[in-house]
Amino acid sequence: MKLHTTNYVNTFIEVAEDCPVSQAQVPPEKKEKTLANLQYEKISRNPYVYSSDDIIFGCYAIKNDISENEKQKEREKFFSKGQACLRSSPLAKRYGFGFHHNSEGKVALFPVESKEYQQFLNDNSVKKTKAMRSKRK
């Protein structure tokens, strides 16, 4: 069985062209944690610890209440189909965060207004791609 991946290496995902904020915002807490909350917590508390696959599947596992025993099998099933990568994350589309994937494919978050965000944009050794737009042109 072919496994798909959402991992990038040495790549910076910029906020979406139609991102409504010019300063990053922490996703608001709701009764049920949203995907944005889960991703924000996991990445902001553990910069450069997890790959994109770890984050995307980890959040899916929480949302779908997958037990520790089932995780490996469910992860293989999950990635047997292509999955949306962090370019579709609400953090980059709506809340003003860019994602940097380092040379090991591990991810960290950077607010759009930060000095580091600008440094990634100006760094020619880092590939850049934009988050997906929320609305069609």
Side-chain angles (χ1 to χ4, degrees), residues 18-41:
D18 61 351
C19 180
V21 298
S22 55
Q23 283 202 309
Q25 301 171 336
V26 174
E29 290 282 333
K30 301 206 163 85
K31 269 195 188 108
E32 285 269 315
K33 286 203 172 181
T34 64
L35 185 61
N37 296 133
L38 294 171
Q39 289 178 346
Y40 178 80
E41 284 175 9

Side-chain angles (χ1 to χ4, degrees), residues 1 4-5 11 18 24 44 52-53 65 84-85 115 123:
M1 165 171 50
H4 296 264
T5 183
T11 301
D18 61 351
S44 64
S52 176
D53 283 356
D65 214 14
C85 68
K115 199 172 77 227
D123 183 344

Side-chain angles (χ1 to χ4, degrees), residues 110-129:
F110 294 92
V112 67
E113 73 277 8
S114 68
K115 199 172 77 227
E116 294 90 344
Y117 187 99
Q118 284 309 311
Q119 287 168 339
F120 285 120
L121 291 185
N122 297 323
D123 183 344
N124 292 331
S125 70
V126 176
K127 286 187 288 242
K128 282 155 236 28
T129 185

Side-chain angles (χ1 to χ4, degrees), residues 10 33 42 53 59 67 75 93 96 108 112 128:
N10 201 20
K33 286 203 172 181
K42 200 164 178 86
D53 283 356
C59 295
S67 72
R75 185 178 170 123
K93 288 171 68 166
V112 67
K128 282 155 236 28

Side-chain angles (χ1 to χ4, degrees), residues 5-11 47-55 86 99-108:
T5 183
T6 64
N7 293 340
Y8 285 90
V9 175
N10 201 20
T11 301
Y48 298 119
V49 171
Y50 298 108
S51 70
S52 176
D53 283 356
D54 295 338
I55 293 154
L86 289 173
F99 296 102
H100 178 245
H101 301 253
N102 68 11
S103 60
E104 296 166 19
K106 307 293 188 197
V107 183

